[in-house]
């Protein structure tokens, strides 16, 4: 197990390094932020002074080396626009994105797995066919359009919940979140549902496929032959085996919920990292864009690492295969 974890950590470090190269050079070859910062009436001397102040007069390889040295110390550079550390800005907006992604993941699990379980147990029923038809819409409909329709229906027409904003924050065990107040829950409902729709469809199809496969396995037939109750067979034998791929996929999807919440946060004016990224891109604030992308890379790598370890615990054959490779 120790060798397995060390190998996965070394692979994770290599991925982070390679992604830092792609992210840094990809962002720094696009556009010229200097002209976004200086006055239109600025002369050449003012422009050159701004270039030196931002460190853009140095060779790109030297800029990357300075970025790596700073990143090793937790410094991802200062924002061109706000003049503050980019990491500080990201961390300030991170709680809002995390609670949105967490809420969407909970909705996906609470709604998707039971529906998928029912569709797998009763595949020929009309309800199951309806569930699978709805899951197709979840995959097909664009997020921005669904978000606008949710606002029109629940916020404008029915006026059940607010359309935008984060709502009031509450405190529990020293943690501040909008999840701890009724006003906050009412504000997060629409964006969380919008962000979760694709994952709900994924959970439905993944669970249904796992149930259909498990119900035909010998251990299920043996359990039935022993006279075990159907409820016990499903909850103990079937669910235990299908949860391995479900845990793996949903764990990885949590990273995508964080990384791809940009559209949802923009539509619902949710003050998270995604909205900050859009503003930084429009203003060519390179340090903020690089810091955001690197943090998302770290999220994906760490989540992947944790999922690999959990998977190896649930299924020891994974460690044996890794050792054989």
């Amino acid at each position: 197990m120790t060798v397995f974890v060390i190998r996965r950590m070394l692979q994770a470090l290599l991925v982070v390094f390679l992604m830092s190269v792609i992210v840094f050079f990809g962002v720094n070859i696009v556009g010229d932020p200097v002209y976004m910062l200086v006055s239109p009436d600025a002369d050449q001397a003012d422009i050159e002074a701004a270039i030196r102040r931002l460190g853009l007069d140095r060779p790109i390889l030297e800029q990357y080396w300075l970025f790596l040295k700073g990143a090793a110390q937790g410094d991802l550079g200062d924002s061109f626009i706000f003049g503050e550390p980019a990491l500080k800005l990201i961390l300030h907006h991170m709680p809002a994105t995390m609670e949105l992604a967490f809420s969407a993941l909970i909705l996906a699990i609470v709604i998707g797995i039971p529906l998928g379980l029912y569709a797998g147990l009763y595949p020929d029923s009309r309800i199951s066919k309806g569930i699978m038809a709805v899951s197709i819409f979840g995959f097909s409909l664009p997020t921005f359009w669904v978000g606008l329709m949710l606002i029109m229906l629940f916020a404008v027409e029915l006026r059940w919940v607010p359309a935008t904003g984060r709502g009031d924050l509450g405190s529990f065990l020293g943690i501040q979140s909008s999840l701890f107040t009724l006003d906050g829950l009412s504000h997060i409902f629409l964006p969380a549902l919008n962000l979760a729709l694709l994952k709900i469809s994924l959970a439905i199809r993944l669970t249904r496929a796992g149930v259909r496969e498990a119900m035909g396995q010998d251990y299920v037939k043996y359990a039935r032959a022993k006279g075990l109750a159907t409820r016990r067979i499903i909850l103990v034998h079937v669910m235990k085996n299908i949860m391995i791929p479900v845990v793996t996929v949903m764990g990885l999807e949590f990273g995508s919920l964080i990384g791809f919440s940009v559209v949802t946060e923009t539509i619902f004016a949710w003050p998270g990292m995604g909205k900050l990224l859009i503003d930084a891109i429009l203003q060519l604030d390179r340090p903020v864009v690089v810091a955001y992308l690197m943090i998302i890379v770290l999220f994906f790598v760490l989540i992947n690492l944790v999922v690999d370890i959990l998977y190896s615990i649930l299924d020891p054959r994974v460690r044996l295969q890794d050792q054989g490779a």
Side-chain angles (χ1 to χ4, degrees):
M1 185 66 182
T2 303
V3 175
F4 177 83
V5 173
I6 292 175
R7 182 177 295 182
R8 284 292 186 266
M9 292 182 66
L10 292 176
Q11 292 174 351
L13 289 175
L14 178 61
V15 170
V16 171
F17 171 73
L18 293 177
M19 288 305 301
S20 72
V21 175
I22 296 173
V23 167
F24 186 86
F25 286 93
V27 171
N28 279 272
I29 63 176
V30 178
D32 189 348
V34 174
Y35 293 96
M36 301 287 291
L37 300 174
V38 300
S39 170
D41 300 328
D43 55 21
Q44 189 61 32
D46 294 332
I47 295 175
E48 292 178 356
I51 292 175
R52 288 192 299 271
R53 187 178 73 252
L54 298 177
L56 300 178
D57 58 326
R58 298 173 177 174
I60 188 67
L61 290 177
E62 183 180 351
Q63 294 182 41
Y64 177 66
W65 173 245
L66 294 174
F67 167 76
L68 284 182
K69 290 175 61 178
Q73 301 173 1
D75 181 9
L76 297 178
D78 294 336
S79 167
F80 291 164
I81 303 300
F82 299 99
E84 297 182 11
L87 184 59
K88 178 181 177 181
L89 291 173
I90 297 294
L91 294 178
H92 177 72
H93 290 79
M94 184 181 292
T97 297
M98 293 297 292
E99 67 185 34
L100 178 60
F102 178 76
S103 301
L105 182 65
I106 293 300
L107 285 177
I109 293 174
V110 171
I111 298 175
I113 292 180
L115 291 179
L117 179 62
Y118 184 90
L121 293 174
Y122 310 101
D124 297 324
S125 69
R126 292 184 178 180
I127 296 178
S128 296
K129 293 179 180 178
I131 291 173
M132 299 311 296
V134 171
S135 71
I136 295 176
F137 285 106
F139 280 113
S140 306
L141 297 177
T143 302
F144 71 89
W145 183 83
V146 174
L148 293 175
M149 292 302 102
L150 289 176
I151 291 175
M152 289 294 296
L153 177 61
F154 292 103
V156 178
E157 296 295 334
L158 299 177
R159 298 183 180 181
W160 287 354
V161 290
T164 59
R166 190 181 179 191
D168 297 334
L169 301 181
S171 180
F172 181 72
L173 298 177
I175 301 174
Q176 284 195 334
S177 172
S178 61
L179 299 176
F180 301 142
T181 65
L182 291 177
D183 182 66
L185 290 174
S186 66
H187 278 80
I188 202 173
F189 174 73
L190 287 186
L193 179 61
N194 184 58
L195 189 60
L197 284 178
L198 176 61
K199 311 308 175 187
I200 291 174
S201 301
L202 179 62
I204 289 174
R205 290 187 166 272
L206 188 64
T207 306
R208 179 187 182 275
V211 171
R212 295 301 301 153
E213 181 181 358
M215 293 301 290
Q217 297 296 317
D218 291 337
Y219 63 84
V220 173
K221 297 177 181 178
Y222 180 70
R224 284 176 171 171
K226 288 177 61 178
L228 295 181
T230 302
R231 179 186 182 90
R232 178 175 175 80
I233 294 174
I234 294 173
L235 295 180
V236 176
H237 297 280
V238 175
M239 290 299 293
K240 179 181 178 180
N241 284 276
I242 70 171
M243 285 309 293
I244 293 177
V246 170
V247 168
T248 303
V249 174
M250 297 310 293
L252 295 175
E253 290 301 316
F254 181 67
S256 68
L257 287 172
I258 297 172
F260 302 116
S261 62
V262 177
V263 175
T264 297
E265 291 185 3
T266 302
I267 293 174
F268 292 93
W270 189 262
M273 296 188 298
K275 190 172 185 303
L276 177 65
L277 174 66
I278 294 297
D279 295 338
I281 291 175
L282 294 176
Q283 297 172 330
L284 292 179
D285 197 347
R286 289 177 179 174
V288 174
V289 176
V290 172
Y292 172 86
L293 294 176
M294 287 307 303
I295 288 176
I296 295 302
V297 168
L298 286 174
F299 266 120
F300 272 99
V301 170
L302 289 176
I303 290 173
N304 206 338
L305 178 62
V306 171
V307 169
D308 279 345
I309 295 174
L310 290 177
Y311 202 109
S312 68
I313 294 174
L314 292 173
D315 188 355
R317 292 173 298 176
V318 174
R319 298 198 299 269
L320 297 176
Q321 292 173 1
D322 187 77
Q323 292 173 2

